[in-house]
């Protein structure tokens, strides 16, 4: 009983760690329920406004900002005349720690993409080529069926549902993925690998 509970907690922590073990992981795994609900409701509202109600993104954002600036201006003007406190506007600057962390995250993603490109072009990894080709073809095919806004909304819904489902049924999903990877390896072994010129002359 103790072993099963410890293995379950280890599995949950591994999923959380694979997602970065930070605020993003807490959001995707619904450990931060407030943030997850806000993301789900706001994305659903934006999708409904721009996809179903027919609003234009640029005009909508401009109108919202115009209304916000007008409210803050009138609030500050009336506060100075009536000796009331000014509107609670936060400090409008990006913290240095946030900028450094964002730059580090972007660097990690770029290095990951460059390593994938290196596996395909230099290492000539056929499995990586099949994976990237399948992902790019899937994105291209889905893009012909739906527009970008709906695709972003679907990605948000999948991001809020797939990690939770995988965390709950990780053992079953891993078994299916292992069997699928074995089939892909068997197919890739049948693909003839290019022979280098040095090995050919030897």
């Amino acid at each position: 009983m103790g072993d099963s509970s410890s293995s379950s907690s280890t599995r949950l922590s591994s999923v959380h760690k694979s997602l970065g073990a930070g605020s993003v992981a807490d959001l995707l795994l619904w450990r931060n329920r407030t943030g997850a609900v806000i993301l789900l409701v706001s994305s659903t509202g934006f999708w409904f406004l721009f996809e179903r109600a027919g609003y234009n993104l640029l005009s909508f954002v401009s109108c919202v900002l115009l209304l916000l600036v007008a409210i803050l201006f009138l609030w500050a003007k009336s506060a100075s005349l009536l000796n009331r406190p000014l509107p609670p506007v936060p400090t409008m600057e990006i913290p240095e720690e946030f900028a450094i962390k964002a730059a580090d995250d972007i660097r990690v993603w770029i290095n990951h993409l460059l390593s994938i490109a290196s596996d395909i072009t230099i290492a000539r990894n056929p499995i990586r080529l099949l994976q990237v080709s399948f992902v790019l073809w899937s994105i291209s095919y889905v893009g012909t069926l739906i527009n970008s806004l709906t695709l972003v909304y679907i990605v948000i819904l999948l991001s809020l549902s797939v990690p939770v489902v995988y965390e709950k049924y990780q053992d079953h999903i891993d078994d299916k993925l292992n069997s699928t990877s074995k089939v892909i390896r068997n197919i890739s072994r049948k693909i003839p690998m290019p022979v280098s010129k040095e090995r050919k002359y030897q």
Side-chain angles (χ1 to χ4, degrees), residues 83-109:
N83 293 326
R84 297 283 185 178
L86 293 174
V89 180
T91 303
M92 296 182 181
E93 63 179 11
I94 299 176
E96 183 178 358
E97 295 80 6
F98 177 79
I100 294 174
K101 187 177 183 303
D104 289 337
D105 293 338
I106 294 174
R107 180 181 58 84
V108 169
W109 279 99

Side-chain angles (χ1 to χ4, degrees), residues 60-126:
F60 178 80
V61 173
S62 300
C63 291
V64 170
L65 291 177
L66 178 61
L67 182 62
L68 180 61
V69 169
I71 291 174
L72 291 177
F73 177 78
L74 293 176
W75 189 348
K77 202 69 175 177
S78 62
S80 61
L81 294 175
L82 301 176
N83 293 326
R84 297 283 185 178
L86 293 174
V89 180
T91 303
M92 296 182 181
E93 63 179 11
I94 299 176
E96 183 178 358
E97 295 80 6
F98 177 79
I100 294 174
K101 187 177 183 303
D104 289 337
D105 293 338
I106 294 174
R107 180 181 58 84
V108 169
W109 279 99
I110 292 176
N111 288 334
H112 180 65
L113 293 177
L114 292 177
S115 66
I116 293 175
S118 177
D119 287 341
I120 295 174
T121 57
I122 299 176
R124 299 179 183 178
N125 190 342

